[in-house]
Amino acid sequence: MPTPAKGPRLGGGAAHERLMLANLSAALFEHKRITTTVTKAKRLKPYAERLVTFAKRGDLASRRRVLGLISNKGIVHELFTDIAQAVENRNGGYTRITKIGNRKGDNAPMAVIELVLEPVSAKQAVVAEATQAAAKAAPVAEEAPAEAEVVETEAAESKYAGSKPATADNVAPEGFAVKGNEDSMKFHVPGSRWYDSTVAEVWFDSAESAAAAGFAPAGGDAAQAGDAE
């Protein structure tokens, strides 16, 4: 007679053991908790959890496989509908064993084995929610630099009233001909002495706008006015 893979065999033979585990599983799925010896509970735990895994798959092949072990169609139906749905978000650990002391008479150690049907713990739920939130926020994070560039450009355009930011080719934007130099805080009107040799760091639409922004006329008001004329 072949020996079992782990531990002593329950009952007299292999066939008897298989029937015993199938009957214990059926009782567990029907009543959600049963009282038995510690030895039987430990052997039943992986057997019953494997059947729950088949039930979570939910396909026809899995249902036929479980029906080959448990002949009661009502219990199998409850396993594939109610129990499988209750443990849908749980990755293993579908049963729990609690020792309750020894049995009177033969002093055999007893235990209660039950299905773990309560929802996943609050901590695991928070972790799952945080993971989903991070996945949703990922595309937003990728778009953030573009939004930052827009904000930066708008800030540059509105730094001074009536102004435009500097251009790469030092060509005046349309309607903004007055050059401003932020290092010296001077402005140059078209036709003035240093106008052509000055690189504009900011363009103003008029000398009044430059003066309002705190820029002083290069060479004084008279020099700028005289050159401009």
Side-chain angles (χ1 to χ4, degrees), residues 11-93:
H16 186 195
E17 182 184 71
R18 288 194 296 269
L19 290 173
M20 185 179 297
L21 291 175
N23 290 334
L24 288 172
S25 298
L28 177 63
F29 297 146
E30 182 180 3
H31 302 289
K32 308 302 183 293
R33 57 182 294 165
I34 58 173
T35 301
T36 183
T37 62
V38 174
T39 302
K40 290 180 180 179
K42 289 181 178 179
R43 295 296 297 274
L44 175 61
K45 182 178 176 67
Y47 186 94
E49 291 191 358
R50 188 161 178 261
L51 297 182
V52 174
T53 302
F54 284 132
K56 288 180 66 176
R57 294 178 186 174
D59 54 4
L60 182 60
S62 299
R63 185 179 291 267
R64 286 176 175 174
R65 189 161 185 174
V66 175
L67 280 171
L69 302 173
I70 300 176
S71 58
N72 191 321
K73 294 183 180 180
I75 295 177
V76 174
H77 176 73
E78 183 177 2
L79 171 63
F80 274 74
T81 54
D82 299 339
I83 298 176
Q85 185 177 2
V87 299
E88 181 180 3
N89 297 325
R90 187 176 296 277
N91 299 321

Side-chain angles (χ1 to χ4, degrees), residues 51-228:
L51 297 182
V52 174
T53 302
F54 284 132
K56 288 180 66 176
R57 294 178 186 174
D59 54 4
L60 182 60
S62 299
R63 185 179 291 267
R64 286 176 175 174
R65 189 161 185 174
V66 175
L67 280 171
L69 302 173
I70 300 176
S71 58
N72 191 321
K73 294 183 180 180
I75 295 177
V76 174
H77 176 73
E78 183 177 2
L79 171 63
F80 274 74
T81 54
D82 299 339
I83 298 176
Q85 185 177 2
V87 299
E88 181 180 3
N89 297 325
R90 187 176 296 277
N91 299 321
Y94 309 122
T95 59
R96 179 191 300 121
I97 296 177
T98 306
K99 295 182 179 180
I100 58 174
N102 295 347
R103 181 168 56 191
K104 293 182 179 181
D106 59 358
N107 205 34
M110 302 296 290
V112 173
I113 180 170
E114 58 186 338
L115 295 173
V116 182
L117 301 178
E118 54 266 17
V120 181
S121 65
K123 181 178 179 180
Q124 292 175 327
V126 170
V127 171
E129 183 178 354
T131 303
Q132 294 177 357
K136 293 180 180 179
V140 177
E142 294 177 358
E143 297 173 0
E147 295 178 358
E149 292 177 2
V150 173
V151 173
E152 185 178 354
T153 303
E154 291 177 354
E157 292 179 351
S158 60
K159 186 174 183 180
Y160 306 109
S163 68
K164 288 284 187 181
T167 57
D169 52 4
N170 199 35
V171 176
E174 184 177 357
F176 294 81
V178 178
K179 292 182 178 180
N181 188 289
E182 291 183 311
D183 292 334
S184 62
M185 292 300 290
K186 303 289 185 180
F187 68 84
H188 304 261
V189 298
S192 61
R193 179 179 178 183
W194 300 287
Y195 185 84
D196 293 335
S197 61
T198 300
V199 177
E201 296 177 348
V202 60
W203 294 91
F204 289 98
D205 57 358
S206 64
E208 289 75 10
S209 297
F215 288 73
D221 291 333
Q224 288 293 321
D227 292 339

